[in-house]
């Protein structure tokens, strides 16, 4: 590692123009994270002309990068306050973040999320700085079989994030996988489940599903629950997390940061899978897993640390080997090409100012976000004081505008309303919408990777096992499946060994009495 080039990167970032672009980027990112629908990928696509005309490519890329990781902060706010995930990676935060908000601990949830996000991102940036080329070389070994196995594992873990029955979570996940197949087949161009509708040929957008299930569904459910009841606003206090909260959240922040860093490097993994894996991990290690979904602070700290760590580490494959890990990185990839820079192994040698300038801007950008997010928590939590009669129409307007801005489609609005009714019915019947949404996100990745793998293996499915990385993932998946069964068998065996001893003792007593 060239430490002189690394230090020169800080000199590049601290130039007034670049600092201004960094500040603008993170502010825009935080804003679009708060507004559901308009994600970082769409925003970066809109701002590509600005990148082209910026003059200095370093300033433009610093701003676009700030938009991406800034949106991860902003997406938490609506997840906690409105039960609407601003970003796909914030879906998991909804479960415990909103539960904490209903308990009057919205400030605590947002404060812990901000601190966790900062530490997760910072740890990931350090990893990016020191281990980028090494980790990227491992990521380069990932092909379609590895992605397919990883996505399958993610879908399996979906069942662990539901608050209800495991069978219901699996049913919801199966519906999510089915919805992911809607649209034109990327391999054969055949229409699947489109019902001769031109609007469905492009598939169903994630925003439509998420806004419908979480936004409209929640509005309908709350209007019924609160009908005729006097609404008492939740008491807002303890905006700064207490020492007890921070002590409880610290292990989750550490675990989430590590999980997020490694999953963010993998193309297709990203912040969504990282937040899912971190939530599942926290639930596994918890002494009382039943707390999750009811306001466990670890359920906010772990996923938020993970998705911010993943958002940062996803820059590794982009900058070092020229592979975008997700849609937002694809936009950044396009921006680099627009300004005349080709990302790849030669970038660090040919454009060290840009490479280290962008990486080092993340240190400053995340510090700016931490400084901004904590004091502004008090402003955000005031949303909870708004009466439901006012909040419901505002939430509905946010969801409608957010969905419409994606494709300027009125059809998407009606589709979102349909998913809203589905979300309402799911809540009434005890089904959690979270597994459906998360399986929907992972479904397209799993299908495309699996079909590419079968083409690669000439139809021989044993190829998944013979490849070392995919084989290891599948072995871990098998272990996860068998673990509950092994626990049951162990309990049964222990019970059976205790019972004979008990009977022998009773027989001995009976023989003694007869004597």
């Amino acid at each position: 590692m060239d430490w002189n080039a690394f230090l020169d990167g800080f000199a590049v970032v601290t130039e007034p123009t670049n600092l201004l672009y960094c500040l603008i980027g993170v502010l825009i990112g935080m804003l679009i994270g708060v507004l559901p629908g308009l994600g970082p990928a769409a925003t970066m696509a809109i701002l590509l002309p600005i990148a082209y005309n910026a003059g200095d490519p370093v300033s433009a890329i610093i701003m676009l990068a700030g938009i991406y990781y800034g949106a991860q902060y902003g997406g938490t706010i609506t997840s906690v306050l409105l039960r609407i995930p601003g970003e796909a990676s914030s879906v998991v935060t909804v479960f415990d973040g909103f539960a904490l908000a209903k308990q009057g601990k919205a400030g605590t949830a947002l404060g812990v999320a901000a601190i966790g996000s900062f530490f997760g991102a910072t740890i990931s940036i350090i990893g990016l700085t020191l281990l980028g080329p090494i980790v990227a070389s491992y990521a380069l070994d990932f092909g379609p079989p590895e992605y397919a196995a990883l996505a399958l594992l993610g879908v399996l873990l979906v069942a662990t994030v539901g608050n209800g029955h495991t069978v219901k979570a699996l049913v919801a996940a199966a519906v999510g996988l089915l919805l992911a197949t809607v649209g034109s087949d990327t391999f054969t161009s055949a229409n699947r489940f489109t019902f001769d509708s031109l609007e469905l040929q492009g598939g169903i957008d994630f925003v439509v599903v998420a806004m419908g299930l979480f936004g409209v569904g929640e509005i309908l459910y709350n209007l019924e629950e609160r009908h005729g009841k006097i609404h008492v606003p939740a008491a807002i206090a303890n905006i700064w997390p207490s020492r007890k909260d921070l002590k409880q959240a610290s292990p989750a922040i550490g675990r989430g940061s590590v999980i997020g860093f490694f999953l963010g490097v993998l193309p297709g993994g990203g912040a969504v899978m990282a937040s899912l894996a971190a939530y599942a991990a926290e639930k596994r290690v918890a002494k009382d897993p039943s707390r999750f979904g009811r306001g466990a602070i670890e359920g906010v700290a772990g996923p938020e640390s993970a998705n911010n760590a993943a958002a940062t580490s996803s820059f590794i494959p982009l900058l070092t080997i020229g592979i975008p890990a997700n849609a937002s990185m694809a936009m950044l990839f396009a921006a680099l090409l627009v300004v005349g820079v080709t990302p790849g192994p030669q970038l660090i040698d040919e454009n060290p100012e840009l490479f280290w300038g962008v990486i080092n801007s993340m240190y400053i950008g995340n510090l700016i976000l931490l400084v901004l997010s904590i004091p502004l928590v008090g402003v955000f939590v005031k949303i909870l004081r708004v009466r439901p009669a006012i909040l419901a129409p505002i939430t509905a307007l946010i969801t409608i505008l957010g969905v419409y801005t994606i494709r300027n489609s009125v059809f998407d609005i009606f589709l979102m309303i349909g998913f809203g009714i589905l979300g309402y019915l799911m809540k009434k019947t005890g089904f959690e919408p979270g597994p459906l949404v998360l399986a929907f996100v992972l479904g397209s990745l799993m299908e495309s990777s699996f079909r590419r793998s079968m083409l690669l293996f000439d139809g021989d499915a044993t190829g998944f096992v013979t490849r070392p990385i995919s084989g290891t993932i599948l072995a871990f998946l098998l272990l996860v499946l068998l673990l509950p069964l092994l626990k049951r068998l162990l309990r049964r065996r222990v019970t059976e060994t205790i019972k004979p001893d008990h009977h022998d003792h009773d027989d001995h007593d009976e023989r003694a009495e007869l004597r």
Side-chain angles (χ1 to χ4, degrees), residues 250-298:
S250 294
I253 290 173
R255 285 188 290 266
S257 301
V258 175
I259 291 170
F261 175 77
F262 285 105
L263 288 182
V265 171
L266 309 176
V272 177
M273 192 174 289
S275 60
L276 166 63
Y279 191 88
E282 291 310 311
K283 208 170 178 184
R284 293 280 184 188
V285 301
K287 293 181 180 178
D288 182 14
S290 64
R291 292 190 305 111
F292 286 78
R294 300 176 183 176
I297 198 70
E298 304 98 309

Side-chain angles (χ1 to χ4, degrees), residues 346-487:
Q346 302 301 319
L347 180 63
I348 191 170
D349 296 322
E350 295 177 357
N351 292 282
E353 288 187 359
L354 189 145
F355 182 86
W356 292 112
V358 170
I359 290 176
N360 293 349
S361 71
M362 296 180 198
Y363 287 103
I364 297 173
N366 276 285
L367 188 61
I368 292 172
L369 283 167
L370 179 66
V371 171
L372 290 175
S373 58
I374 293 292
L376 290 177
V377 163
V379 177
F380 298 136
V381 296
K382 287 182 180 178
I383 298 174
L384 282 177
R385 296 188 180 276
V386 180
R387 288 180 298 168
I390 299 173
L391 188 60
I394 292 173
T395 307
L397 182 62
I398 290 172
T399 55
I400 290 170
L401 288 175
V403 166
Y404 183 76
T405 54
I406 297 298
R407 297 192 291 191
N408 296 331
S409 172
V410 177
F411 177 80
D412 284 350
I413 296 176
F414 287 105
L415 196 60
M416 178 194 69
I417 293 170
F419 279 112
I421 295 170
L422 176 62
Y424 164 76
L425 294 174
M426 288 179 72
K427 286 212 71 174
K428 290 287 290 182
T429 54
F431 284 84
E432 281 295 320
L436 189 155
V437 174
L438 293 167
F440 176 79
V441 172
L442 296 170
S444 56
L445 170 67
M446 185 172 70
E447 184 197 5
S448 60
S449 299
F450 176 77
R451 292 174 70 177
R452 286 192 178 95
S453 302
M454 294 306 288
L455 289 172
L456 186 67
F457 299 144
D458 292 327
D460 184 8
T462 58
F464 287 99
V465 182
T466 55
R467 289 173 69 102
I469 300 177
S470 62
T472 304
I473 296 171
L474 290 175
F476 180 71
L477 185 147
L478 188 64
L479 182 64
V480 172
L481 283 172
L482 292 177
L483 197 59
L485 183 62
L486 290 173
K487 283 183 179 179

Side-chain angles (χ1 to χ4, degrees), residues 182-197:
V182 173
S184 180
D185 190 339
T186 54
F187 288 83
T188 64
S189 298
N191 292 329
R192 302 181 300 182
F193 307 111
T194 59
F195 304 102
D196 297 326
S197 170

Side-chain angles (χ1 to χ4, degrees), residues 62-415:
I62 285 174
M63 181 186 73
L64 294 176
I67 290 172
Y68 178 52
Y69 58 81
Q72 307 303 321
Y73 276 77
T76 311
I77 296 165
T78 50
S79 292
V80 172
L81 300 182
L82 299 176
R83 203 175 186 267
I84 300 174
E87 295 300 318
S89 57
S90 300
V91 170
V92 183
T93 310
V94 166
F95 303 137
D96 288 281
F98 187 69
L100 285 166
K102 288 199 295 185
Q103 297 168 17
K105 299 178 181 179
T108 301
L110 290 173
V112 166
I115 294 169
S117 298
F118 172 75
F119 278 101
T122 302
I123 290 170
S124 190
I125 299 165
I126 294 170
L128 191 159
T129 304
L130 300 175
L131 305 175
I134 300 171
V135 177
S137 65
Y138 282 102
L140 194 59
D141 294 333
F142 267 69
E146 286 72 27
Y147 300 147
L150 198 64
L152 182 61
L153 178 62
V155 171
L156 175 66
L157 292 175
V158 160
T160 67
V161 302
N163 300 328
H165 199 273
T166 303
V167 175
K168 289 185 175 181
L170 288 172
V171 170
V175 174
L177 292 174
L178 179 64
L179 291 171
T181 63
V182 173
S184 180
D185 190 339
T186 54
F187 288 83
T188 64
S189 298
N191 292 329
R192 302 181 300 182
F193 307 111
T194 59
F195 304 102
D196 297 326
S197 170
L198 292 174
E199 288 86 356
L200 286 176
Q201 285 185 6
I204 302 173
D205 194 275
F206 163 78
V207 175
V208 175
V209 179
M211 294 300 100
L213 291 174
F214 287 106
V216 179
E218 186 67 23
I219 292 170
L220 295 173
Y221 185 77
N222 283 340
L223 286 175
E224 183 188 39
E225 288 292 307
R226 298 176 183 178
H227 180 67
K229 298 178 183 177
I230 299 173
H231 174 66
V232 180
I236 306 299
N238 300 325
I239 291 177
W240 287 86
S242 64
R243 288 185 179 180
K244 180 183 176 183
D245 290 326
L246 288 175
K247 185 178 179 181
Q248 196 172 355
S250 294
I253 290 173
R255 285 188 290 266
S257 301
V258 175
I259 291 170
F261 175 77
F262 285 105
L263 288 182
V265 171
L266 309 176
V272 177
M273 192 174 289
S275 60
L276 166 63
Y279 191 88
E282 291 310 311
K283 208 170 178 184
R284 293 280 184 188
V285 301
K287 293 181 180 178
D288 182 14
S290 64
R291 292 190 305 111
F292 286 78
R294 300 176 183 176
I297 198 70
E298 304 98 309
V300 174
E304 285 301 310
S305 304
N307 65 35
N308 280 269
T312 303
S313 64
S314 62
F315 281 83
I316 292 176
L318 175 71
L319 296 177
T320 58
I321 56 180
I323 297 177
N326 49 55
S328 298
M329 288 295 102
M331 287 297 105
L332 206 58
F333 182 86
L336 285 165
L337 295 177
V338 163
V339 298
V341 177
T342 303
Q346 302 301 319
L347 180 63
I348 191 170
D349 296 322
E350 295 177 357
N351 292 282
E353 288 187 359
L354 189 145
F355 182 86
W356 292 112
V358 170
I359 290 176
N360 293 349
S361 71
M362 296 180 198
Y363 287 103
I364 297 173
N366 276 285
L367 188 61
I368 292 172
L369 283 167
L370 179 66
V371 171
L372 290 175
S373 58
I374 293 292
L376 290 177
V377 163
V379 177
F380 298 136
V381 296
K382 287 182 180 178
I383 298 174
L384 282 177
R385 296 188 180 276
V386 180
R387 288 180 298 168
I390 299 173
L391 188 60
I394 292 173
T395 307
L397 182 62
I398 290 172
T399 55
I400 290 170
L401 288 175
V403 166
Y404 183 76
T405 54
I406 297 298
R407 297 192 291 191
N408 296 331
S409 172
V410 177
F411 177 80
D412 284 350
I413 296 176
F414 287 105
L415 196 60

Side-chain angles (χ1 to χ4, degrees), residues 6-23 58-59 62 69 353-365 368:
F6 172 72
L7 295 174
D8 288 341
F10 277 110
V12 171
V13 181
T14 51
E15 291 178 7
T17 305
N18 291 333
L19 278 177
L20 178 62
Y21 272 94
C22 183
L23 177 62
V58 178
S59 301
I62 285 174
Y69 58 81
E353 288 187 359
L354 189 145
F355 182 86
W356 292 112
V358 170
I359 290 176
N360 293 349
S361 71
M362 296 180 198
Y363 287 103
I364 297 173
I368 292 172

